C-alpha cells in the first residue's frame, strides 16, 4: 500500500514555497508598473516609452521598413516620432490583458488614432517586456505590420 513518507513528500511538493511566493510578488509588481505606464499613456499624462531603461532594446517583429532591433533612443527617433508625425491624433491604447511570467510581462492591447489623411489607424499589438528594477530592459513588439506599413506608405509625416 502507500507509505506515509511518500504522502508527506507529496504534500510538501504541492505547498507553495518561499521562492514561488517571491516570484509571484515580483510578477504582480511588474504587471502593476506596466499597467501604470499604459494608464498614463491612455490618459495623455505620460509615455509608455518612459518604461524603457536607458539601455533597453526594442525589437519590432515582421517585415517592413521599421522591423528590426533598436536602442531606446533609435526607436523614439526612427519609429515613434515618424509614426506620430503621420497621425493627427495620438494613439490611444486599450489594454485587453496583462500577464507576467517571471521577469517577462506581456501586454495585449488595441491602439486607435486618426491619420493625417483623416482615415482611422487601428492596430492590435502584443508587447513583451523583460523587466529589471522596475524598468523594461528588453521589448519585443508584435503587430499587424500590413496595417502599420500602410500608414507609413500612405501618409507623409508632417515636418
Amino acid at each position: 500500500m502507500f507509505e506515509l513518507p511518500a504522502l508527506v513528500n507529496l504534500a510538501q511538493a504541492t505547498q507553495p514555497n518561499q521562492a514561488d511566493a517571491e516570484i509571484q510578488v515580483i510578477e504582480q509588481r511588474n504587471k502593476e508598473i506596466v499597467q501604470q505606464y499604459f494608464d498614463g499613456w491612455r490618459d495623455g499624462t505620460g509615455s509608455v516609452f518612459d518604461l524603457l531603461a536607458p539601455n533597453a532594446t526594442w525589437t519590432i517583429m515582421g517585415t517592413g521598413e521599421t522591423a528590426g532591433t533598436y536602442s531606446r533612443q533609435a526607436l523614439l527617433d526612427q519609429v515613434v516620432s515618424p509614426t506620430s508625425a503621420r497621425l493627427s491624433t495620438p494613439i490611444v491604447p486599450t489594454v485587453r490583458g496583462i500577464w507576467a511570467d517571471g521577469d517577462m510581462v506581456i501586454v495585449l492591447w488595441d491602439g486607435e488614432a486618426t491619420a493625417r489623411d483623416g482615415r482611422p489607424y487601428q492596430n492590435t499589438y502584443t508587447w513583451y517586456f523583460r523587466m529589471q528594477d522596475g524598468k523594461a530592459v528588453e521589448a519585443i513588439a508584435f503587430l499587424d505590420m500590413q496595417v502599420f506599413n500602410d500608414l507609413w506608405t500612405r501618409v507623409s509625416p508632417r515636418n
Side-chain angles (χ1 to χ4, degrees), residues 12-133:
Q12 289 173 344
T14 59
Q15 294 291 323
N17 63 38
Q18 185 66 27
D20 288 341
E22 291 173 9
I23 290 171
Q24 289 176 354
V25 168
I26 291 168
E27 289 173 348
Q28 185 61 36
R29 186 188 76 221
N30 285 340
K31 285 171 50 177
E32 290 170 359
I33 290 168
V34 171
Q35 181 70 61
Q36 289 172 357
Y37 279 94
F38 269 87
D39 289 349
W41 184 17
R42 179 199 62 220
D43 298 341
T45 59
S47 169
V48 73
F49 300 105
D50 291 339
L51 172 63
L52 299 176
N55 62 339
T57 60
W58 187 287
T59 301
I60 299 172
M61 302 302 295
T63 57
E65 185 177 338
T66 60
T69 299
Y70 299 85
S71 68
R72 180 187 187 280
Q73 193 59 52
L75 174 76
L76 296 173
D77 294 344
Q78 298 171 28
V79 180
V80 176
S81 292
T83 300
S84 296
R86 288 170 165 83
L87 301 172
S88 59
T89 64
I91 295 174
V92 177
T94 301
V95 173
R96 291 198 209 177
I98 299 179
W99 300 270
D101 184 11
D103 63 356
M104 185 68 74
V105 177
I106 304 159
V107 185
L108 173 63
W109 62 281
D110 298 312
E112 293 191 28
T114 302
R116 288 187 56 237
D117 63 2
R119 292 174 50 189
Y121 171 74
Q122 299 171 322
N123 211 331
T124 298
Y125 301 79
T126 303
W127 287 356
Y128 294 73
F129 295 110
R130 183 162 316 281
M131 301 294 290
Q132 186 176 67
D133 300 324

